[in-house]
Amino acid sequence: MIDLEGKVALISGGARGQGEAEARLFVSLGAKVLIGDVLSAEAEAVARSLGDSASSCHLDVTSENDWQDAVAMAEKTFGRLDVLVNNAGISGGEFIEDESGEAFTRMFQINQLGVFYGIKYVVEPMKAAGGGSIINISSTAGLRGVTKCIGYSATKWAVRGMTKTGAIELGQYGIRVNSVHPGIINTAMVNWDQMNEKQQAMVAGSLPLPRIGEVEEVAQMVAFLASDASSYSTGSEFIIDGGSSAGQPFFKPKRS
């Protein structure tokens, strides 16, 4: 059973989508949560709905000062810091020849540099707590190439590499670092509800599990990695993609 009783977590991008689902599940499992997001009002509303077990702060993950302030607030509000979920990120892109340097740089700043800052600034408080768990949200785009996603793929592969380096360096302090690789998940980035039935079938119909994933399913995986139930797991990829990374069949298997 997953138990987060007594743990304090900082979740970036926690105002909506996967981050919000993680915050709500963490609190239900006994954790205290600081929700960080550039969407300050939305983050505050989520925190209010969770009562005394949650608080919020403005967190632009590209800002070192914001990261330092968020970590300090977690310690001041809840007394310690045990878990970081590097959840904030953006997606999108163009074909390589159409991608701009500005768009590529923006993707790097949020998806890669933001994760680096998060890891960097939680090390000392996690040492003080006697250990911790850092969970970096990557993507299946961090496991393979994706069309029209040169910047996104580059940053998600980088998150995977930073995860492994972090695991090697920080294991001596009892700090575990793992990456989570969601596939197609029902978030605002995907706009699933705005697709017609044919479009939905094109997106998810060929998957071994032929449906879109839900944010609560990702949250369950993240909660497992935040808990002591995963105490001997570090430097690893945890995939939640309906089987998309298993490969594509040459034909759809059927049985009579």
Side-chain angles (χ1 to χ4, degrees):
M1 179 177 177
I2 299 173
D3 180 8
L4 298 179
E5 193 69 39
K7 294 189 183 296
V8 175
L10 169 58
I11 301 175
S12 71
R16 63 183 183 181
Q18 289 178 186
E20 178 184 355
E22 290 152 9
R24 294 189 180 282
L25 180 59
F26 276 33
V27 168
S28 75
L29 294 172
K32 308 290 186 184
V33 178
L34 178 60
I35 299 166
D37 208 301
V38 291
L39 303 173
S40 301
E42 289 91 333
E44 184 180 358
V46 173
R48 274 201 312 271
S49 73
L50 293 172
D52 293 339
S53 292
S55 189
S56 69
C57 66
H58 179 86
L59 176 56
D60 175 351
V61 295
T62 70
S63 166
E64 286 193 78
N65 287 336
D66 278 11
W67 271 113
Q68 290 171 305
D69 290 346
V71 169
M73 182 176 176
E75 291 188 290
K76 181 178 179 180
T77 305
F78 298 120
R80 57 188 291 136
L81 182 57
D82 306 283
V83 178
L84 168 66
V85 184
N86 267 318
N87 173 76
I90 58 174
S91 64
E94 303 290 343
F95 289 114
I96 294 171
E97 65 268 31
D98 298 323
E99 186 72 286
S100 70
E102 291 81 6
F104 192 101
T105 299
R106 184 62 176 161
M107 194 75 68
F108 159 77
Q109 289 172 328
I110 295 174
N111 291 3
Q112 184 176 342
L113 186 63
V115 170
F116 161 69
Y117 285 151
I119 298 170
K120 175 183 175 69
Y121 287 109
V122 301
V123 170
E124 289 305 319
M126 286 188 178
K127 283 183 183 178
S133 177
I134 298 171
I135 302 139
N136 298 323
I137 306 300
S138 180
S139 166
T140 50
L143 302 171
R144 63 187 183 188
V146 181
T147 304
K148 294 184 70 175
C149 285
I150 184 66
Y152 183 73
S153 293
T155 59
K156 293 305 184 179
W157 276 84
V159 167
R160 185 181 174 197
M162 290 191 294
T163 295
K164 293 184 181 300
T165 297
I168 293 167
E169 292 189 8
L170 303 178
Q172 62 185 311
Y173 309 118
I175 300 171
R176 299 182 295 109
V177 191
N178 291 289
S179 58
V180 171
H181 298 258
I184 302 296
I185 306 298
N186 192 4
T187 67
M189 287 183 181
V190 175
N191 292 320
W192 182 253
D193 293 337
Q194 297 177 27
M195 296 181 189
N196 59 39
E197 188 173 318
K198 183 177 180 180
Q199 290 170 323
Q200 290 180 348
M202 288 178 63
V203 171
S206 65
L207 298 177
L209 299 179
R211 64 174 177 83
I212 195 169
E214 299 297 336
V215 293
E216 292 80 9
E217 293 175 300
V218 179
Q220 290 280 354
M221 178 76 79
V222 174
F224 165 71
L225 292 172
S227 77
D228 294 339
S230 59
S231 59
Y232 200 52
S233 295
T234 195
S236 296
E237 297 96 357
F238 289 80
I239 304 170
I240 178 164
D241 68 348
S244 69
S245 58
Q248 295 295 320
F250 289 111
F251 57 91
K252 193 172 180 64
K254 292 182 179 180
R255 297 189 65 176
S256 57

